[in-house]
């Protein structure tokens, strides 16, 4: 049986600490609790450390050097199961900034050793590749690790490996395929023996379900698509609010769907079809004041966009020698 | 890892059934007399012994106060709720109020919790399976109506555990039926499961694509079933009796049960014939000799008395279809589940509604247990890529919405009804006063906007919050519904990213002490002291 938790006793830890005396002290304490250990004053000291092992970085916060180190680690390790734990005395703003760079946790200094190992454990459970546990068939584990590495940046389409213009049937059949592999019923027997693996499979499957729920809904899918072009990857409260406002503006299902589609086209810069669709919606419900109000917005946008080439032409004329 | 034996048990309001899969074949397990269906009745005899199942049926008349039937209908309803009150009025045995609003059944001065009664029935099913298979059976899939809420599911699971079974899955009855119907057929079809049992009705719409069975929508009523037909017929017979004889029903509580039994015979008789001639003798306190009950009942009369009950089921079907992108007429196969679908009037009205005759090639009494056995075999199967690819898979949904109480008692829905499971939803909570160390959250299940009209699942307390100015500490609470349809709650401190300590008080639950008392009493009752015959 492989290890049930690669963290702690089987974790690979790299420690960055600028002060040599402190570093030695911590090293002797930490090295006993992990599989392999390396340390240095700065990133370049330990860049040779075999990155493919995967593991957790402990970084002692010292301002901009920390940010640089994080960036370098990110660049050097393509796989995201390199967990990063920063220890320091930074205030809330620093912590938030570092979280934005993708660190897993910030531990205030001075710290309790038990809390540190708890954190290492939890980062390991969250980040260590499923392949390391050797419990799932390699092809299944490898696929899961690839998804996990980019988990938070994957769009629903990427998660299901589908194109944005795929059909509802495609979505359903891909969802069924994924379910056969990922549904918790399939992994019941590893629930007790390998809880972190079970948890992670469950987490990925829940996201697959979320993707399916949104993409198979004729009203939610165009709204989601429109948010994609603005950089979102998940359904969120803003989209929920948009949906609520559409549901409020008409009680005709056909109109609701068309409104979502118009919004999608508008956000993706397809202003003309969006405006035309709005026109047809307004003709369908001529007495709906909400629709009348919103079509003005579409008209304005379209006019602005139409005027752009004219303005461009004027500018070009003026610039011409 | 080897195959495990997992039986499927349909724990019904009126009848129960147990099945198991052996070499890809499902076997419905018969009792000593070869009967495949067992009554969900437990009779407590005067000498302290127990009679469970079909043999307990005669005790319904002989000893109605100590013979418990339809106990499942009480599960999950607080003692003071209008449903529980209505039910109590119809039953000959004594129901009393236990701790935490739970209903308890008093038998010969001793109070029994509902899961204990169910555990006795389950134990009987386990014994039957063990006798039949010749090996110990410790794992089961148990079915419940699709619209059972969290506490009803918890109680069913507890009943299984009391009976000495590890409950691998609490499975929805209609889903089980769909699995039994579609297993191994390689279907690509839209299925509708019309499940009219003794006490509950469920409508489930499902997509079968090869070995994947995906529930699209489900709706139901926990107070609609064949018992309602019996009650209507009971009323008819009682009115007839009152027109002919002078007696007081209050003075003879056993009479209602006796007449209900007759009503059931009438209903069953009318399922095979157009007319049913009733000729019975009944003892009335007021008369020295038994009185004659001679009455002819027709299907016409049944229709007049009961068609509105069936109509109620179609309102629920409409609700289920309102959430899918197709309507009832587009369904490929209609599957009938539950003994009450034997009633010809039900069949013909269902046919009218769907514009298509329901399937008649499956036994409505056994189909649920068969599906549970298939699911059980799937959960017990050894792990392999083959298993992953080829075994059937059920994708089910949450039956009831889950929410929390917000300002002015409004219920804010976090997980909507009909969301595929497993699912989770999170919400960030913060403190509202300075130095606050405890945040209380009340969790509800139900469809009403007013929290108190819903079933309260429990109270969640976030404790040991670090003292800080109000609004500074942020705790993310994650509500999760697992594949059993059971709700769990986790909390995470957003500052440290670590799990936050919580305390959950489930309002309809039983304490550990309570449970171990139940366990002891069950062991002492001598149930399960069955010798393996093989």
């Amino acid at each position: 049986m492989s290890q049930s938790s690669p963290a702690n006793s089987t974790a690979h830890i790299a420690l960055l600490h600028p002060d040599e005396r402190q570093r030695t002290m911590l090293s002797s304490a930490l090295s006993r609790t992990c599989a392999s250990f390396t340390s240095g004053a700065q990133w370049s000291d330990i860049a040779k450390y075999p990155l493919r092992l995967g593991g957790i970085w402990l970084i002692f916060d010292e301002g901009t050097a920390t940010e640089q180190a994080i960036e370098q680690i990110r660049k050097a390790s393509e796989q995201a199961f390199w967990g990063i734990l920063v220890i320091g005395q930074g205030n809330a703003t620093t912590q938030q900034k570092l979280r934005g760079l993708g660190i897993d946790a910030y531990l205030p200094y001075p710290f309790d050793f038990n809390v540190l190992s708890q954190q290492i454990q939890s980062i390991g459970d969250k980040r260590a590749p499923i392949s390391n546990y050797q419990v799932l068939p390699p092809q299944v584990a490898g696929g899961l690790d690839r998804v996990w590495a980019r988990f938070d940046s994957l769009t629903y389409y990427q998660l299901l490996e589908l194109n944005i213009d795929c059909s509802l049937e495609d979505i359903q059949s891909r969802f069924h395929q994924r379910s056969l592999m990922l549904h918790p019923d399939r992994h019941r027997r590893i629930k007790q023996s390998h809880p972190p693996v079970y948890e992670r499979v469950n987490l990925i499957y829940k996201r697959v379900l979320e993707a399916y729920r949104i993409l198979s809904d004729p009203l939610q899918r165009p709204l989601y698509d429109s948010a994609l072009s603005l950089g979102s990857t998940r359904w969120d409260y803003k989209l929920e609010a948009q949906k609520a406002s559409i549901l409020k503006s008409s009680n005709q299902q056909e109109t609701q769907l068309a409104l979502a589609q118009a919004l999608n086209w508008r956000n993706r810069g397809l202003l003309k079809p969006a405006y035309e669709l709005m026109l047809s919606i307004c003709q369908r419900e001529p007495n709906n004041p909400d629709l009348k109000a919103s079509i003005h917005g579409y008209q304005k946008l379209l006019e602005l966009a139409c005027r752009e080439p004219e303005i461009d032409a004027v500018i070009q004329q003026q610039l011409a020698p | 890892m080897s195959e495990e034996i997992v039986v499927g048990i349909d724990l019904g309001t009126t009848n129960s059934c147990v099945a198991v899969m052996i070499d890809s074949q499902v076997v419905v397990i018969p009792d000593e007399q070869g009967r495949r269906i067992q009554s969900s009745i437990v009779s407590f005899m005067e000498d302290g012994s127990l009679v469970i199942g079909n043999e307990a049926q005669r005790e319904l008349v002989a000893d109605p106060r100590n013979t418990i039937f339809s106990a499942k209908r009480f599960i999950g309803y607080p003692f003071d709720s209008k449903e529980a009150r209505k039910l109590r009025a119809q039953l000959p045995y004594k129901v009393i109020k236990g701790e935490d609003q739970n209903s308890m059944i008093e038998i010969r001065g001793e109070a029994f919790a509902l899961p204990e009664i169910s555990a006795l029935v389950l134990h009987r099913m386990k014994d039957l399976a063990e006798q039949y298979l010749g090996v110990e059976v410790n794992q089961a899939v148990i079915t419940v109506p699709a619209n059972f809420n969290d506490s009803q599911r918890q109680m069913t699971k507890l009943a299984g555990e009391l009976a000495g079974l590890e409950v691998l899955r609490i499975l929805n009855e209609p889903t089980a039926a769909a699995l039994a119907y579609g297993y191994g057929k390689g279907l690509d079809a839209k299925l509708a499961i019309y499940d009219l049992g003794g006490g509950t009705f469920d409508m489930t719409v499902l997509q079968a694509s090869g070995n994947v069975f995906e529930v699209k929508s489900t709706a139901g009523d926990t107070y609609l079933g064949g018992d309602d037909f019996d009650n209507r017929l009971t009323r008819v017979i009682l009115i007839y009796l009152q027109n002919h004889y002078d007696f007081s029903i209050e003075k003879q509580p056993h009479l209602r049960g006796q007449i209900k039994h007759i009503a059931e015979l009438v209903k069953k008789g009318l399922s095979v014939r157009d007319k049913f001639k009733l000729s019975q003798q009944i003892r009335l306190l007021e008369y020295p000799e038994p009185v004659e009950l001679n009455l002819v009942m027709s299907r016409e009369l049944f229709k007049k008395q009961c068609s509105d009950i069936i109509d109620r089921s179609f309102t629920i079907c409409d609700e289920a279809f309102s959430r899918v992108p197709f309507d009832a007429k587009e369904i490929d196969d209609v599957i009938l589940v539950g003994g009450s679908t034997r009633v010809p009037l039900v069949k013909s009205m269902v046919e009218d509604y769907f514009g298509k005759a329901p399937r008649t090639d499956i036994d409505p009494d056994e189909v649920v247990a068969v599906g549970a056995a298939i699911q059980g075999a799937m959960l017990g199967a050894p792990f392999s890529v083959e298993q992953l690819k080829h075994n059937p898979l059920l994708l089910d949904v949450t039956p009831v919405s889950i929410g929390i109480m917000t300002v002015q008692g409004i219920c804010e829905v976090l997980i909507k009804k009909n969301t595929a499971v497993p699912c989770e939803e999170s919400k960030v909570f913060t403190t509202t006063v300075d130095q606050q160390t405890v945040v209380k959250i009340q969790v509800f299940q139900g469809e009403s906007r007013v929290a108190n009209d819903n079933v309260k699942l429990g109270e969640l307390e976030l404790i040991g919050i670090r003292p800080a100015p109000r609004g500074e500490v942020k705790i993310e609470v994650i509500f999760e519904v697992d594949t059993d349809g059971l709700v769990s709650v986790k909390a995470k401190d957003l500052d440290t990213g670590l799990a936050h300590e919580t305390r959950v008080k489930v309002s309809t639950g039983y304490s550990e002490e309570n449970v171990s008392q139940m366990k002891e009493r069950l062991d002492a009752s001598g149930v399960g002291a069955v010798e393996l015959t093989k």
Side-chain angles (χ1 to χ4, degrees), chain A residues 36-77:
Chain A
S36 77
F37 184 83
T38 185
S39 69
Q42 51 187 324
W43 196 78
S44 58
D45 293 344
I46 49 175
K48 337 178 256 309
Y49 183 66
L51 292 173
R52 62 185 166 71
L53 278 179
I56 297 159
W57 290 90
L58 303 186
I59 302 174
F60 280 76
D61 188 13
E62 35 159 358
T64 44
T66 308
E67 287 168 36
Q68 280 162 14
I70 291 170
E71 225 164 274
Q72 281 158 324
I73 291 167
R74 286 258 162 268
K75 245 187 258 165
S77 56

Side-chain angles (χ1 to χ4, degrees), chain B residues 444-461:
Chain B
F444 288 84
Q445 203 166 27
E447 310 309 318
S448 171
R449 247 175 71 77
V450 180
N452 280 325
D453 289 351
N454 294 325
V455 179
K456 185 168 168 182
L457 276 187
E459 215 166 61
L460 171 73
E461 277 182 5

Side-chain angles (χ1 to χ4, degrees), chain B residues 44 65-68 93-94 105-112 117:
Chain B
F44 294 75
R65 279 172 192 279
N66 300 308
T67 303
I68 315 308
Y93 52 82
K94 194 170 175 192
I105 296 169
E106 197 184 277
I107 303 142
R108 301 187 197 282
E110 209 176 340
F112 288 82
I117 306 293

Side-chain angles (χ1 to χ4, degrees), chain A residues 135-137 186-190, chain B residues 1 381-385 387-388:
Chain A
V135 60
L136 296 185
R186 300 304 211 211
H187 302 280
R188 188 181 70 80
R189 294 206 180 182
I190 60 166
Chain B
M1 282 186 265
F383 189 86
S384 73
V385 176
Q387 184 250 118
L388 293 182

Side-chain angles (χ1 to χ4, degrees), chain A residues 99 176 185-186 189 206 212, chain B residues 2 169 214 380 391 424:
Chain A
R99 285 232 167 78
H176 286 172
D185 280 1
R186 300 304 211 211
R189 294 206 180 182
K206 275 186 239 171
Y212 177 61
Chain B
S2 61
R169 170 61 41 83
E214 184 195 346
N391 272 356
E424 65 177 33

Side-chain angles (χ1 to χ4, degrees), chain A residues 12-14 16 43 54-61 66-77 79-87 98-99 101-107 116 119-120 122-124 126-127:
Chain A
H12 306 285
I13 290 179
L16 288 183
W43 196 78
I56 297 159
W57 290 90
L58 303 186
I59 302 174
F60 280 76
D61 188 13
T66 308
E67 287 168 36
Q68 280 162 14
I70 291 170
E71 225 164 274
Q72 281 158 324
I73 291 167
R74 286 258 162 268
K75 245 187 258 165
S77 56
Q79 286 145 317
F81 32 84
W82 275 87
I84 302 174
L85 173 64
V86 179
I87 302 167
L98 292 174
R99 285 232 167 78
L101 289 173
I103 67 163
D104 295 278
Y106 194 100
L107 191 61
L116 177 67
Q119 293 271 20
I120 290 175
S122 103
I123 293 172
K126 210 169 87 191
R127 296 261 187 193

